[in-house]
Amino acid sequence: MSLERKDEHDHKGWMKKRDLSPIETVYLTALIWLDKRLRVVDYLEILEDLYYKVNMQMPKSHTEQYNLDNKFWYWYPLYALGSFSTVAYIVAAISGALLGFYYAPAAAAADGSPTVAYDSVLIIMGQLNLGYFLRSVHRWAAQIMVAAVFLHMLRVYFTGAYKEPRELNWLIGIVLISLTLVFGYTGYLLPWSQLSYWAGQIGVEMSLSIPLIGEWVAQLMFGGFTLSQATLQRMYILHVFFLPFITTAVIAVHIGIVWMQGIAEPH
Amino acid sequence: MSDNDTDTESENVRTDGSGGGIVAPDDETPTWSERKTRTEGLSRLTYEYFERARREDQDLRQESDYVERDVLAFPAWPHEMMRNLALTSFFVGMILFVSAALPPEMPNPANSSVTPAIILPDWYLYWSFGLLKLGPLNPDLSILGGSKLMADRTYGVLANVVVVGFVAIVPFLNKGSARRPVEQPFWAAVGMSGVIFSLTIAALSIKNLLPMDSNLLFDLTFLLPFVSATITYAVLKTMREGYMFDLNRRYYRLRPPK
């Protein structure tokens, strides 16, 4: 009785023990010889793998298990809205960085004469090669991002994806949607056109009407109780410095949590 | 290794099967490959050799410090990445196409002495702008001698806070594992009324552009959400009846009611 483990890899010994016919011996010798040199077994393994892949049934997917495939396939395109808004955000960031080379937030008069800010936008639109296209891309990316974010919120609501354990991400999402709107609003004021000016007026009046802290908010956001150069400068620095950093960080956290928790499948 | 020390060793059996009570393999014990032997010609032989060779590779792999993980997932590269690139480039292309086709216009420069006929923020702030126009809902308190507790504008700003606050606490109100609208008709109806309300309140904010009596518009702003919520609720309830009927039928086929 030997305690030695058998050498499972001793193919010669194995063949001797098997008491093979000459044909089998020749065949096996050839096979082993080839396998030593060409790793025939690997290809056989691939074939076997293929066989099982073709003939095996995958375990039932979530959808099949709960018989949902006829019930919610129409949600699927809506699951891309989150990434779509991220893509739009990146496009807006790139085009905005390029626009920043040409835009100047200065001399915010409101007497109907073109200001420096307004003129710089005019130059982008009229003089700069493909400038109109650049501004257009920036604007449309912003519009599309806002739309996608809203629709994303609706998708999350109607598929119940905000439920445990994802409440925190829902709240972060609300912060993000607010940041997106503020982003849009600050950008809206930058050309210092009529639309910008009067939207700014409404903003100032809204912040002034907040109970208790209204005046402080107006000072903080608009640099005073009326629109002036300070307003334009604040909007500019919010739009190109504060909001990008904050929003990018919050988006990263949002996506990181989704990554960690996984997509909420409807069931 | 005889049978008489199995009792003493049976207490320190380890999880990998070594330790007491396990008889060491000897010459009589068929090896794993021997168990599988059948005698059916060359294909059988090939199969056996194949198994042996695989076993050999397996052993060699286990001796090395190379770790193989069983990842049962869609591979990130190239499949996932290709999918993402395709989608991303499609979306970016769409943005570029739209922006090339429809460049923005340039309104007049700012002029504080000319109030434009239409003062509007961007479209996505219409709902918030509309909430500022809820003055008629600001109650006159008889305690204060018919005056209002707060200015209409303050009321509107607070309405914004209330709306956002409600959206924020939804996950803490709606507990449970139901996810699809069919499973939770009430919350689906709430969501639907919210969507419709955001549209109607946006319409209210641009009421001077709409060819419509503004009082009627104001009433519809609050009526339509209720109507849509009711319809949604009814439809989903009906759908759920069918859904539950199906489930029950399947269930009772399995075990008929007593």
Side-chain angles (χ1 to χ4, degrees):
Chain A
M1 184 160 80
S2 69
L3 285 181
E4 254 184 271
R5 298 215 42 175
K6 282 192 180 162
D7 183 8
E8 288 272 330
H9 313 326
D10 178 14
H11 302 305
K12 274 222 171 69
W14 171 66
M15 279 174 62
K16 279 210 181 67
K17 208 175 53 188
R18 290 298 309 274
D19 184 23
L20 300 165
S21 64
I23 293 175
E24 287 174 331
T25 314
V26 169
Y27 170 76
L28 257 188
T29 311
L31 180 65
I32 292 171
W33 190 89
L34 279 174
D35 182 45
K36 280 238 165 61
R37 280 142 188 91
L38 302 178
R39 305 279 313 167
V40 176
V41 169
D42 280 1
Y43 298 103
L44 288 175
E45 189 166 7
I46 287 170
L47 280 179
E48 192 202 35
D49 224 37
L50 203 64
Y51 172 82
Y52 281 118
K53 272 180 182 151
V54 169
N55 290 306
M56 286 280 282
Q57 293 249 356
M58 285 294 287
K60 273 188 178 174
S61 72
H62 185 353
T63 326
E64 288 163 327
Q65 209 171 350
Y66 294 97
N67 190 25
L68 294 174
D69 37 359
N70 54 352
K71 296 200 175 56
F72 79 105
W73 59 264
Y74 45 78
W75 291 115
Y76 273 165
L78 304 179
Y79 274 73
L81 283 167
S83 24
F84 188 21
S85 39
T86 314
V87 167
Y89 178 68
I90 291 166
V91 171
I94 294 168
S95 56
L98 293 176
L99 281 174
F101 287 124
Y102 305 101
Y103 173 78
D111 54 3
S113 60
T115 57
V116 172
Y118 185 86
D119 270 340
S120 65
V121 178
L122 272 190
I123 287 169
I124 289 170
M125 295 287 287
Q127 314 282 107
L128 182 65
N129 285 339
L130 281 181
Y132 81 95
F133 182 67
L134 197 56
R135 178 160 181 249
S136 183
V137 166
H138 190 64
R139 217 182 120 71
W140 275 107
Q143 307 278 322
I144 285 171
M145 180 189 170
V146 174
V149 161
F150 267 110
L151 293 174
H152 175 62
M153 185 176 81
L154 291 184
R155 194 281 291 172
V156 166
Y157 181 88
F158 283 110
T159 55
Y162 54 82
K163 290 192 166 184
E164 256 199 302
R166 298 175 225 271
E167 301 102 326
L168 180 65
N169 228 6
W170 173 260
L171 294 179
I172 292 175
I174 285 173
V175 170
L176 269 179
I177 211 170
S178 318
L179 283 173
T180 310
L181 296 184
V182 177
F183 234 132
Y185 181 75
T186 51
Y188 196 65
L189 295 204
L190 293 186
W192 211 248
S193 61
Q194 271 289 63
L195 286 179
S196 313
Y197 184 85
W198 291 98
Q201 278 287 16
I202 293 168
V204 171
E205 285 167 18
M206 272 181 74
S207 44
L208 279 175
S209 67
I210 300 173
L212 302 178
I213 54 168
E215 294 180 0
W216 180 76
V217 169
Q219 290 273 19
L220 180 74
M221 299 291 293
F222 295 94
F225 302 153
T226 54
L227 296 186
S228 63
Q229 173 59 26
T231 313
L232 184 57
Q233 265 177 350
R234 271 168 206 244
M235 288 297 142
Y236 180 73
I237 208 71
L238 278 173
H239 192 80
V240 306
F241 185 77
F242 277 83
L243 286 171
F245 280 100
I246 295 168
T247 312
T248 306
V250 180
I251 286 176
V253 170
H254 192 73
I255 293 175
I257 291 177
V258 170
W259 192 308
M260 206 181 68
Q261 294 181 333
I263 305 287
E265 291 189 81
H267 55 77
Chain B
M1 292 290 145
S2 53
D3 298 346
N4 55 10
D5 51 7
T6 51
D7 308 336
T8 56
E9 282 188 290
S10 59
E11 55 223 19
N12 49 23
V13 177
R14 293 206 296 276
T15 46
D16 61 355
S18 64
I22 308 293
V23 182
D26 57 0
D27 295 337
E28 310 305 318
T29 315
T31 60
W32 191 245
S33 46
E34 275 167 11
R35 285 171 215 262
K36 290 186 150 190
T37 50
R38 284 181 251 151
T39 47
E40 280 177 38
L42 296 184
S43 59
R44 186 72 231 163
L45 267 182
T46 312
Y47 171 72
E48 275 181 41
Y49 171 69
F50 172 42
E51 283 295 321
R52 287 176 60 85
R54 259 222 304 210
R55 174 67 192 276
E56 181 178 1
D57 289 351
Q58 175 77 7
D59 290 352
L60 291 174
R61 243 183 255 134
Q62 278 175 343
E63 277 167 27
S64 79
D65 54 358
Y66 171 73
V67 180
E68 268 200 0
R69 293 184 188 79
D70 258 346
V71 181
L72 295 171
F74 203 57
W77 177 264
H79 307 259
E80 190 93 2
M81 209 44 89
M82 281 297 161
R83 202 263 317 266
N84 292 350
L85 275 176
L87 278 173
T88 305
S89 43
F90 173 77
F91 283 141
V92 171
M94 210 179 72
I95 293 173
L96 295 184
F97 179 76
V98 170
S99 48
L102 303 165
E105 55 189 20
M106 203 53 196
N108 294 326
N111 191 343
S112 56
S113 55
V114 179
T115 310
I118 302 160
I119 300 179
L120 280 180
D122 243 345
W123 58 267
Y124 45 80
L125 287 171
Y126 284 0
W127 62 273
S128 169
F129 196 49
L131 285 172
L132 298 180
K133 302 191 176 184
L134 297 185
L137 291 181
N138 195 357
D140 305 337
L141 296 178
S142 54
I143 299 175
L144 300 176
S147 65
K148 297 183 173 182
L149 185 60
M150 55 181 112
D152 282 353
R153 202 178 289 281
T154 310
Y155 188 81
V157 173
L158 280 185
N160 274 291
V161 173
V162 167
V163 166
V164 175
F166 175 75
V167 173
I169 59 170
V170 161
F172 305 98
L173 298 178
N174 183 12
K175 294 289 190 188
S177 60
R179 280 245 175 100
R180 282 174 300 127
V182 178
E183 293 170 316
Q184 25 175 194
F186 173 76
W187 283 98
V190 169
M192 203 60 211
S193 70
V195 173
I196 300 296
F197 179 67
S198 68
L199 294 176
T200 52
I201 199 82
L204 182 70
S205 76
I206 53 172
K207 62 185 172 192
N208 41 10
L209 295 185
L210 295 179
M212 203 172 158
D213 178 34
S214 65
N215 287 322
L216 176 64
L217 183 60
F218 192 87
D219 294 341
L220 280 183
T221 301
F222 300 96
L223 194 63
L224 282 183
F226 273 110
V227 172
S228 68
T230 313
I231 292 172
T232 308
Y233 188 78
V235 167
L236 287 176
K237 267 292 197 193
T238 314
M239 281 170 69
R240 195 159 78 134
E241 293 283 319
Y243 178 68
M244 291 308 293
F245 174 76
D246 234 30
L247 274 182
N248 287 338
R249 200 176 44 175
R250 251 184 293 161
Y251 177 76
Y252 288 132
R253 276 213 191 110
L254 284 174
R255 45 179 81 202
K258 284 168 183 161

